[in-house]
Amino acid sequence: MAAPHYPYPFGGLIVPTKELVGRSFCRRSDPLCAFRPRPLHLNSGFDYPSGHACCQRSLLAPLPAIRVLLSRWLDTRRKDTFANRKIFMDRMNTDALVLPEGIGAELSQGLCDDPFRWLGMHAGSECVVVRAYLPGIESAEVVLLAADHQSVSMQRWTQDAYLFGAVIPGLDAQVPYRLRVNDGAGWSEIEDPYRFPSTLGPENFASFRAGTDVQLHHWLGAIPMQLFGCPGYRFAVWAPNARRVSVVGDFNRWDGRRHVMRRHHDAGIWELFIPERTEVVKLTQGAHYKFEILTPRGELLLKADPLGVWHQASPGTASLLAGSLAPVPRRTGSSAARRKPMSIYELHAGSWRRHVDGRHYTYDELADELVPYVKDLGFTHIEFMPLAEHPFEGSWGYQPVGLFAPASRFGAWQALQRLVNRCHDAEIGVIRDWVPG
């Protein structure tokens, strides 16, 4: 019969002596004898008190064998304890990482319209769970920023190789963290966009629904900002009938499963803050991006940013990250010049003049050539035909697709600012045709 075992408060075990030493009890049945039946603490050694001589001889004779037996038994118990603990922890981790049926498939197929419910860090019972969907990543770890950058290895999801998860015991609230990932070429630390809260609220949506917001370009589109000290871009677009909207671009290999946006049901707005270091490829100014939209009929559409301030030159159709739009001091000339009679010189920037090889004049070249030419002719104003981004050059700008972005075929938006300032410095007013008006 195997000896029963019981927990001991100081880390040892108590076993009944009778099961181990057989007849090594007092043969006189003396209740005061030191060798009456009693439990032995395995960590206390074999320093027995004195008893009857007959009892001492019968117990001490097999002492070496007892030492070996006890040592083997203790090693076995320790191994069983560690094995049971590992099984318990693995079971706890697996249970905490389990997603409801079908959610894993929705994430892997790009069908989930509420990724913040499942991805990122979530508080559980005496633990937190971190999940991340990382296509192209071989292994990943969670780095806790508030715990001296302690790292916790993430497990692969059994049904999808790119869904990773980790259970961190001992935490009952969300804490700042990063992800350390290995894409096969080495390890690097990235930010998880699903650990950041929303930056839009009712104050944005109330005037938007009422149709009275005249500053949409301040919060829709790709806005550079810092959130909790982390630089990045907040993307926001209005798509009320979409099943899912994602930000795709060079930085995430145009994979619509990677950066699925948060839906604000009360306004039809989709929003996501993406840190600069959200991928192995850093998100920088000039990066190409679009919105991937899943329609109610299951179609996948790639759309440029309707409020983007910089677009790819034709025949490209992507939007470009413009960085921070630093305000340029306005120079409007003297008040006397504004009171003079108006004489307007109208032109189309793409056909006013061209280089011998057919190239357009850039905004900077127009500033060097056009401004002195118009000034010499005595005109007080220049009227530009539409300068908004348009793919078909034959439309002369009257078929725009980016109303907030100047035509990139003539240069960057900063160059247009310089052209306008050069006109104002020469006391020439600027009028721009606005197609929607």
Side-chain angles (χ1 to χ4, degrees), residues 184-203:
W187 289 88
S188 59
E189 282 195 10
I190 63 174
E191 298 283 355
D192 185 2
Y194 295 104
R195 81 174 179 93
F196 296 95
S198 173
T199 57
L200 299 178
E203 65 277 6

Side-chain angles (χ1 to χ4, degrees), residues 93-116:
N93 292 350
T94 302
D95 292 344
L97 290 175
V98 166
L99 292 172
E101 184 177 358
I103 297 300
E106 288 186 4
L107 290 170
S108 62
Q109 298 172 16
L111 301 177
C112 182
D113 65 346
D114 190 10
F116 282 87

